[in-house]
Amino acid sequence: MSKNLSELTDEELIAEFQANNTVEAYEILVRRYKDPLTNFVFRFVGDKDVSTDVVQDTMIRFYLHKDSYKSFAKFSTWIYTIATNLAKNELKRRKRKRLFSIHGNNDDEQTFDITDSGHTPDVLADSEIKNRIIQKALAKVKPVYREVVILRDVQDLSYEEIAEITGLSIGTVKSRINRGRAQLQKLLKPIYKE
Amino acid sequence: MPMQNNIYNKDEEQYKNVIDSLKQLPHVDAPPDFEMNLKRRLNNIKYEREKRPFWAFLFERPLIPAASVAALILIVLAVSLVQNDIEAPFPKPDSLTAQIEKSKPEDSVTEKEPVIEPKKSENLASERPAPRQNPRPLRKETASAAQESAPVASNDILRQQLRELDLHGFGSDLDKNLRARPNPGGINEYGNPGSNVSFDEFRLGPAPDRSLNMIRSKTDSIRRNWLRRIK
């Protein structure tokens, strides 16, 4: 039964979870989406612990409100929409917190866990620095542009999927992606000159 | 459509370095204990839902208006109960008639007359209420129920007496008979000397006494007429 479930598509799994409350189907979906969602939220928020919490909240919402998913939509876009909204809420909450905080903005608190890619220490250090700079630049891009740029260039989603997740038209998505890329290019100019 | 694709490919070429940089970013995965923590959180949520205290359920968002309305109703009920506990300054209609029976003066019929009376008039005499000892009621009293029910009760009595009275062909226009025969004592229902017909201001409760006097005088006249007829 378990083997059969793992062979099912996302839409089939959620249908099974909705119809028979099969927890196994839910667990398979969690396993499939926990990593891509964590990566997306981390790139959007810039904090590993926060991104883990946001993804867990997303999964809890998925569990509690499974019936709000309609079969005509793709499961991936539905779960990404939940994660995006929660990530935006988290950003707003942090912004409010920063407004009333005495210490103000502290960018140095950001932590990065980079997986071992088998490079030499020099290359690793170099790429680590580069990644940190890119992440900092990404954090400086306006959230409306950042969101679509990450979905497109980091998560490799199609324009249609991004439009569905964000609730925007495809044209708006494309223009926002280009604006976001332009902002990033401007911010990363020193790296590209090298 | 192919033209559009070309346009966007051009755009992507323009930002090629940015796109490459973003694509080369290392993937950040969820921590190994992600699923375990998720299960723990889900179990906590389930447990909290099951063990929710009664008050939390009562004051849950959709029930707040209902709970406040219920509280308001309880307060109104409590206030009305407290108000009902206040003693009525005037006696209730039943006790009032009993008091009247007790304080009934001697029969207004002259003692010289013979005591041969029909049974019905005897009953009437026993039911006849006496004038009140303290006829002037307090104006600022709040228990209006006792005051208002008194005239109603006496009117009922009057109607009942009229129904029971066998006038033996003497006519049933009591008012006319009363007007023709004023009170022989010349004392009004307040014990003041003067005319039988007097304006008593807008006092509370003069009506029952006046009607009782009317009944009294009427029964007297009926009795006298009846005696004359027997003779």
Side-chain angles (χ1 to χ4, degrees), chain B residues 70-183:
Chain B
L72 196 72
I73 289 167
L74 280 172
I75 290 163
V76 168
L77 274 173
V79 169
S80 65
L81 280 170
V82 167
Q83 279 188 342
N84 284 343
D85 281 347
I86 298 165
E87 286 286 327
F90 288 99
K92 286 182 177 177
D94 294 341
S95 59
L96 191 71
T97 47
Q99 242 185 341
I100 289 164
E101 284 297 321
K102 270 187 190 173
S103 61
K104 186 172 69 181
E106 290 302 315
D107 206 348
S108 61
V109 181
T110 49
E111 286 177 4
K112 288 172 187 175
E113 286 177 351
V115 199
I116 309 159
E117 288 177 353
K119 282 182 179 176
K120 282 177 182 174
S121 59
E122 268 183 9
N123 290 337
L124 274 174
S126 66
E127 284 173 14
R128 186 188 306 155
R132 280 156 60 181
Q133 294 295 316
N134 186 15
R136 283 179 184 265
L138 293 169
R139 288 187 181 182
K140 289 187 176 177
E141 294 300 333
T142 52
S144 57
Q147 289 177 338
E148 283 170 14
S149 59
V152 173
S154 58
N155 284 339
D156 288 342
I157 292 163
L158 178 61
R159 260 185 237 114
Q160 196 185 341
Q161 284 170 347
L162 282 171
R163 248 181 270 122
E164 286 172 7
L165 269 176
D166 187 3
L167 295 170
H168 299 287
F170 284 98
S172 58
D173 194 353
L174 295 174
D175 289 334
K176 196 178 173 185
N177 286 332
L178 274 171
R179 267 181 250 117
R181 194 182 177 284
N183 190 358

Side-chain angles (χ1 to χ4, degrees), chain B residues 96 100 129-132 135-137 147-156 158 178 189-190 198 200-216:
Chain B
L96 191 71
I100 289 164
R132 280 156 60 181
R136 283 179 184 265
Q147 289 177 338
E148 283 170 14
S149 59
V152 173
S154 58
N155 284 339
D156 288 342
L158 178 61
L178 274 171
E189 62 265 36
Y190 299 106
S198 61
D200 300 320
E201 299 175 3
F202 293 102
R203 291 182 185 124
L204 294 166
D209 291 338
R210 197 178 291 165
S211 59
L212 287 171
N213 275 345
M214 280 163 58
I215 294 163
R216 196 182 302 151

Side-chain angles (χ1 to χ4, degrees), chain A residues 74-187:
Chain A
K74 265 183 89 177
F75 176 77
S76 60
T77 56
W78 183 67
I79 198 101
Y80 264 104
T81 310
I82 300 170
T84 309
N85 290 336
L86 289 174
K88 280 179 187 170
N89 290 346
E90 178 59 30
L91 274 186
K92 282 177 195 168
R93 200 181 61 80
R94 288 174 79 185
K95 201 176 172 185
R96 273 200 303 272
K97 209 176 167 185
R98 219 180 294 147
L99 267 174
F100 296 105
S101 167
I102 303 164
H103 304 295
N105 193 357
N106 194 352
D107 290 335
D108 295 335
E109 280 180 10
Q110 290 176 350
T111 56
F112 298 92
D113 290 346
I114 296 158
T115 49
D116 187 7
S117 55
H119 295 297
T120 57
D122 290 350
V123 177
L124 197 69
D126 191 39
S127 64
E128 209 173 298
I129 291 162
K130 202 179 166 186
N131 288 339
R132 201 171 283 188
I133 291 165
I134 292 166
Q135 182 62 41
K136 272 192 176 182
L138 205 54
K140 282 178 183 172
V141 175
K142 267 186 155 186
V144 282
Y145 303 141
R146 196 193 316 161
E147 176 193 359
V148 286
V149 166
I150 295 167
L151 285 171
R152 176 67 187 161
D153 295 334
V154 179
Q155 301 297 115
D156 278 327
L157 295 183
S158 67
Y159 289 116
E160 287 77 11
E161 282 174 322
I162 297 165
E164 213 173 307
I165 291 163
T166 53
L168 301 166
S169 67
I170 293 174
T172 313
V173 167
K174 283 172 181 174
S175 75
R176 281 191 184 183
I177 287 169
N178 281 334
R179 284 178 189 212
R181 281 170 180 166
Q183 279 191 13
L184 261 180
Q185 201 172 40
K186 207 175 171 185
L187 288 162

